[in-house]
Amino acid sequence: MTERELTVTEQLLKHERRILLICLLLISTLAWFWTLSGSGTGMSLSAMTTSAFPPPEMPAMLHNWTLADVVIMLLMWWVMMIAMMVPSAGPMILLYARAYRHQQKLGRLPGAIAPTLMFATGYLLAWLGFSLIATVLHWFLEHIELIHSMTMWSINPLFSIMVLLVAGVYQLTPIKQSCLQHCRSPVSFITEHFQPGANGAIQMGLRHGLYCVGCCWVMMLLLFAGGVMNVLWIAALTLVVVVEKLVPFGGHIAKLSGVLLIGCAISLLICCV
């Protein structure tokens, strides 16, 4: 390695945290821009956004998906998950880079740029898996006429009630709380699951992503009730996820949101009877 190459590497290491922060902000910004532009669906976001809940009932429109539709919907879900989840995952990613650098300074790992990109890749792959399942579920719910093919929100009040109830109950379960605790304890996670090298980074990122999916998957399914591309619901759920994971009382917020969701479901059920 030449002296110039060493100098460049040293400069990168010196500003590594700043570079990572800029990259995370850029990824999140681009994901939000893609989501707010309609995610390639060709639909206006304003046409798919409503503050009413349950959303306005509309006659079902059966739409036969093509392969292109599947790809567009998969990308829509994945990029939307990136936009919603990267802000709350940022501290974990930055802490991983710092911990890896600390191990290098102690001489336990070879000196090189920490494989933080691989960690982030593993994390995003976990959400790609969720997005694939969500895309299949999206097609199924549209096929059985529970969500509208154009507005992408629930057109069946009983289905909306069921989604609220399931999400509310899950917020109170030990599984939810266990996954949330892993997400809220980045130091413990890195200490327990640390693996060196690029392959280890991907595995760690994937593991953290799976805990994150386990924590938030039901909340993401609330989009089927309020509107998959309803910007108000996307923003609200993003805020809930950030609060749950990053603020000191986030665990209590998760339980409170569960109680509120169950209460909303019961209220809607009473109104429908």
Side-chain angles (χ1 to χ4, degrees), residues 83-154:
M84 297 175 72
M85 303 310 301
V86 165
S88 62
M92 172 69 83
I93 296 172
L94 292 172
L95 183 61
Y96 167 81
R98 182 178 179 182
Y100 204 97
R101 180 66 53 227
H102 180 68
Q103 292 296 314
Q104 289 175 326
K105 289 181 179 179
L106 294 177
R108 297 172 183 172
L109 293 172
I113 296 177
T116 311
L117 177 60
M118 296 296 99
F119 183 91
T121 298
Y123 179 81
L124 296 181
L125 284 176
W127 281 104
L128 176 60
F130 168 83
S131 299
L132 180 59
I133 296 173
T135 300
V136 174
L137 183 58
H138 191 147
W139 170 83
F140 177 72
L141 292 175
E142 185 179 309
H143 185 72
I144 61 176
E145 300 182 351
L146 289 180
I147 63 174
H148 197 269
S149 61
M150 300 297 289
T151 60
M152 300 187 195
W153 61 52
S154 170

Side-chain angles (χ1 to χ4, degrees), residues 5-6 22 25 33 41 54 75 89 92 95 101 107 129 137 157 172 182 185 190 202 215:
E5 288 174 331
L6 284 173
I22 292 173
L25 289 173
F33 177 80
T41 61
L75 287 176
M92 172 69 83
L95 183 61
R101 180 66 53 227
L137 183 58
L172 304 176
H182 277 86
S185 307
I190 292 175
I202 289 180
C215 175

Side-chain angles (χ1 to χ4, degrees), residues 12 39-40 58 74 88 90 112 168 170 182 196 198 212-214:
L12 287 175
S39 299
M58 305 177 69
L74 175 60
S88 62
Y170 186 78
H182 277 86
C212 194
V213 171

Side-chain angles (χ1 to χ4, degrees), residues 53 64 92 136 160 171 183 232 238 244 247:
F53 190 82
N64 293 321
M92 172 69 83
V136 174
S160 300
Q171 289 289 93
C183 294
L232 298 178
T238 301
E244 281 187 357
V247 303

Side-chain angles (χ1 to χ4, degrees), residues 5-23:
E5 288 174 331
L6 284 173
T7 302
V8 171
T9 301
E10 290 171 355
Q11 287 297 319
L12 287 175
L13 294 178
K14 182 179 179 180
H15 301 288
E16 182 180 19
R17 184 176 179 85
R18 185 178 300 173
I19 293 171
L20 285 174
L21 183 58
I22 292 173
C23 288

